[in-house]
Amino acid sequence: MQAKKCGSKWILRIDKGEEVVATLRDFCDSRGVRLASVSGIGAADTVVIGYFETAAKKYHTLERTGDHEITNLSGTVSTMGGQVYLHLHITLSDPNGQAFGGHLSSALVSGTCEIVLDPIEGEVDRELSQEVGLNLLKL
């Protein structure tokens, strides 16, 4: 991964063979980024996405392999229990141009992934909501 600070924002290039979520989490942890918005595009060939079943309060996952464009990657950086916490969603397109998406668990970069990380001053923690079954922002 390569990174460059431009004003208050970071421009990141995650390279072929690197995993997006772990690389971004490690970057935020090493730079002290505790609150930020994330946006990006790129290409990946192994992606694990999920959706949350509200009635059962659980995630279901789906793995996609093969060439896929990351047409949109967006989310937030916050903290939970003092650790960096990423909440990312992704939209992908397959070779037929069909798009699908969901909550991003992991994505292995096949070409490149370009991310704009926009840090926000302050810190917002998360906590598990027993009612909803998700780690919600503590505001």
Side-chain angles (χ1 to χ4, degrees), residues 70-93:
I70 300 171
T71 60
N72 185 55
L73 171 66
S74 60
T76 57
V77 177
S78 59
T79 58
M80 185 165 175
Q83 301 299 311
V84 170
Y85 186 99
L86 303 179
H87 185 190
L88 303 172
H89 285 204
I90 193 167
T91 305
L92 303 162
S93 66

Side-chain angles (χ1 to χ4, degrees), residues 52-59 129-134:
F52 187 73
E53 182 183 357
T54 54
K57 298 181 183 177
K58 71 179 213 175
Y59 270 99
S129 166
Q130 296 298 328
E131 177 186 354
V132 179
L134 292 169

Side-chain angles (χ1 to χ4, degrees), residues 28-41:
C28 290
D29 192 46
S30 70
R31 296 297 197 285
V33 176
R34 312 291 279 173
L35 186 62
S37 63
V38 177
S39 62
I41 57 172

Side-chain angles (χ1 to χ4, degrees), residues 6 12 21 33 36 41 62 64 68 71 73 76 95 100-101 104 106 110 113 131 134 136:
C6 296
L12 309 177
V21 178
V33 176
I41 57 172
L62 169 69
R64 300 288 301 207
H68 289 85
T71 60
L73 171 66
T76 57
F100 52 92
L104 179 61
S106 68
S110 61
C113 182
E131 177 186 354
L134 292 169
L136 302 182

